[in-house]
Each structure stands twice: as C-alpha cells, then as structure tokens.
Amino acid sequence: PESESAFDPAMTEEEFVRRAAEVEHLHMFMHNFGNLNLLDSFSGLRELVVTLQTLPGISGLSNCRHLEKLTLTECRLERIEGLERCSALRHVDLSRNRIRRIERLDALQALESLWLNENAITCLENLHSNRRLRSLWVARNEIASIADTLDANTLLEDLNVAANRISSFREIPNLARLRFLRALSTADPHYGSNPVCLLCNYTTYCLFQLPQLQALDRVAVSDEGRHLAEATYTKKRMYYNMRIKTVKRHASEALATARAVRDERAGQLGMTLNALLRQLADVERAWGELIGLPPPRARPGAAGSPG
C-alpha cells in the first residue's frame, strides 16, 4: 500500500489504525502538523519522506521497527534523536537542517547510507558503530578535518565532503586506509569546493595517495589519468627532494660563512678595543703628569698592563 491510499474521514479509529499499519511508503510535503507523533499508528512503514515542515525534533518513530529509509529535509531540525528503535534503517537523509553534531546513531548498525548535507556540522564523529556504512555525504558543512574519524567505516565506498573547510593535503592520506573507497568529492558542482582544492597539484596528489578511486570530484578517473598522476608525483617528489638538499647545502654554506665573518669581526673588535685601552692609558698618564698626579693603574685588557 502507498501513501496515496484513500483514508475515509468517516472511518472508525480502529479502522484507521488497521489501515495505517498497512502503509509502507509515506511522503509528506509541506504538511501542517507540529510533530511526528501521529506516525505511532504507521507501524508497517518502510519509507518515510517529510519535506519542508517545521519540526521540534525527531519523535513518533518508536513503533516504526521496519523503517528502512528515512528522509527529513528542510525541517529545521537541530539534533539527531529518536532513532534508537529504528534499527532496520539503511538510508537516512537529514540534509538542509540545522544539525550541529553527528550523534545517537549507535543503534543503526544496518545503516548503509547517511546524508547530512547543508547543516552546521563541525566535525566527523560518532560513526564507529555504523560499520556497514557505504555512502556518507556531509557536503556544505563546517568540517575542517578528517583525521582518523572514519577508520572504523572500512566498507565506505562514496564520500562527499564538498564545500567544507578542509584546507590541508594532510587530510588526504587519512582516506588511504579506506580500501573500498571508490568515489571522493572534496569539490562538487552543486555544493562547491574546499580550500584544499585550490592548492597546486591537488588532483595529482589525491590520485597518487588514493589509487583505489574510480571518481574524484564527480569526474571518472581513467587508468591513464591514474598512471599520469603517479608519474607526475614521482617526478615532482624527486625534484623537490633535490631542491631540499640544495637549499640545505646553501644554508649550511651560508651559516659557515656567517660564522667565519663573525669570528673575524670579533677578532678585529678585540684588537680595536685593546688599542683604545692603550690610548686611554696614555692619555690618563699624560694628564696625570700635567697636573702632578701619580700615574694611574693600568686597565685590565690593555697591552703591557701588569698581571
């Protein structure tokens, strides 16, 4: 039965409950209701889609034990909650809301696809229990780092982190541990790109570090392109290693020259100081003889001074 099945306004409550339990697919667009508690009677739901509805939170799904696909988009949701009993969920789409954290998904161990695009998420976290996850889309959020947050999601095949705040090449090798990863999007024509995409040799670096990729930024990767990236990276690495050695050698030579100049100048200053001290002693001696004073004691460091 589909959501289009007719519900007679005159039917009894018992009849409504019986008919509601037969509904497997329910799509609601711009419905005027305050929460999802009315879904308690729809215990047979397998797919629920709610779009453009202001919801205070995710509720009313505790009886939806057979729910496999959940889409709540543009509902102004601020947190992930109320899914603990929906353990059969395989696809969850909570895009275009106001969610700040990835949380409370531990019970969804059958989850294969999670879409959280266009929210306010600042980091990837709390996905270690979702080991069957194959597709993760978190485009247009505020994520700045990947690190080892996805190491437990070893079956991940499709990752979209476009239009976030990833700015360093250091994040890319972290994905090399995901050996089944086939598609990576740090840039997407629909969402935008990350700062890292503007760095020189970005594509070459990604293809070299992630040879398992079949698509990068929504563009298919050919064997020729992969081999070219590997050859280019190898040449550039050799070039930069040579440049580093040259810079180190020049720096070492410059440092040795600076030390020699320092020692020479120090010696010259010592000689000049001794000469000035001797001249000062001569002046003091001449002044003493002129006014009839005994000769002054020699200053330490002056040439010819007594020990």
Side-chain angles (χ1 to χ4, degrees):
E2 299 289 341
S3 59
E4 290 80 2
S5 299
F7 282 86
D8 186 350
M11 72 174 61
T12 65
E13 181 177 350
E14 291 76 10
E15 180 67 10
F16 174 83
V17 171
R18 187 186 67 79
R19 295 287 300 277
E22 296 175 356
V23 176
E24 295 184 356
H25 306 276
L26 183 61
H27 292 217
M28 295 185 290
F29 176 74
M30 296 184 67
H31 278 59
N32 186 23
F33 55 88
N35 54 61
L36 297 177
N37 292 334
L38 56 86
L39 298 177
D40 282 344
S41 301
F42 291 80
S43 57
L45 274 182
R46 295 187 179 276
E47 178 184 11
L48 172 63
V49 178
V50 180
T51 305
L52 279 172
Q53 173 66 49
T54 300
L55 297 175
I58 304 175
S59 60
L61 301 180
S62 58
N63 290 333
C64 301
R65 304 295 181 86
H66 304 289
L67 192 63
E68 298 178 354
K69 183 176 180 179
L70 174 65
T71 300
L72 302 175
T73 56
E74 298 182 82
C75 293
R76 300 186 180 182
L77 294 170
E78 296 185 356
R79 65 183 63 86
I80 302 174
E81 59 185 350
L83 302 178
E84 292 78 10
R85 296 191 178 183
C86 303
S87 58
L89 275 172
R90 293 187 295 109
H91 173 76
V92 173
D93 184 358
L94 302 178
S95 300
R96 296 185 181 182
N97 285 293
R98 301 174 179 178
I99 298 170
R100 295 182 178 275
R101 292 194 62 192
I102 303 175
E103 57 184 343
R104 302 176 184 176
L105 296 174
D106 293 349
L108 309 186
Q109 297 189 13
L111 190 64
E112 297 180 0
S113 177
L114 177 62
W115 291 3
L116 296 168
N117 306 304
E118 298 183 82
N119 278 284
I121 297 169
T122 57
C123 66
L124 294 173
E125 58 183 340
N126 300 323
L127 293 171
H128 52 275
S129 297
N130 311 112
R131 296 182 178 274
R132 297 186 183 181
L133 195 64
R134 296 181 181 275
S135 177
L136 176 62
W137 282 43
V138 286
R140 198 173 288 170
N141 279 279
E142 301 294 330
I143 299 169
S145 175
I146 298 175
D148 59 353
T149 55
L150 299 177
D151 281 3
N153 308 109
T154 55
L155 299 180
L156 195 64
E157 299 176 357
D158 182 15
L159 175 63
N160 192 325
V161 291
N164 278 279
R165 298 170 55 192
I166 299 172
S167 59
S168 173
F169 277 155
R170 289 194 299 267
E171 302 299 327
I172 305 301
N174 291 315
L175 300 176
R177 296 186 289 274
L178 303 175
R179 58 192 183 94
F180 292 108
L181 188 65
R182 297 295 178 263
L184 169 66
S185 295
T186 52
D188 187 293
H190 178 71
Y191 296 107
S193 62
N194 284 273
V196 69
C197 301
L198 302 177
L199 299 180
C200 185
N201 301 316
Y202 155 75
T203 301
T204 298
Y205 187 80
C206 287
L207 294 182
F208 178 80
Q209 293 292 341
L210 308 173
Q212 73 272 36
L213 288 183
Q214 296 178 358
L216 176 63
D217 298 339
R218 320 310 297 170
V219 178
V221 177
S222 64
D223 290 338
E224 181 182 358
R226 188 178 292 106
H227 295 326
L228 179 60
E230 182 178 355
T232 302
Y233 184 88
T234 302
K235 290 180 181 178
K236 287 184 176 294
R237 182 168 57 182
M238 293 176 60
Y239 169 76
Y240 285 118
N241 285 340
M242 183 175 62
R243 290 284 296 169
I244 290 172
K245 292 180 180 179
T246 301
V247 170
K248 286 183 176 180
R249 183 176 67 253
H250 289 169
S252 178
E253 293 173 352
L255 185 59
T257 302
R259 287 172 177 168
V261 171
R262 180 198 62 187
D263 294 342
E264 181 181 356
R265 295 291 176 83
Q268 293 176 352
L269 289 174
M271 295 175 60
T272 303
L273 178 60
N274 285 334
L276 289 174
L277 290 175
R278 286 195 300 270
Q279 292 177 7
L280 178 59
D282 293 341
V283 170
E284 289 179 341
R285 186 180 301 107
W287 175 254
E289 292 174 352
L290 181 63
I291 61 176
L293 293 176
R297 296 179 60 186
R299 299 179 183 275
S305 61

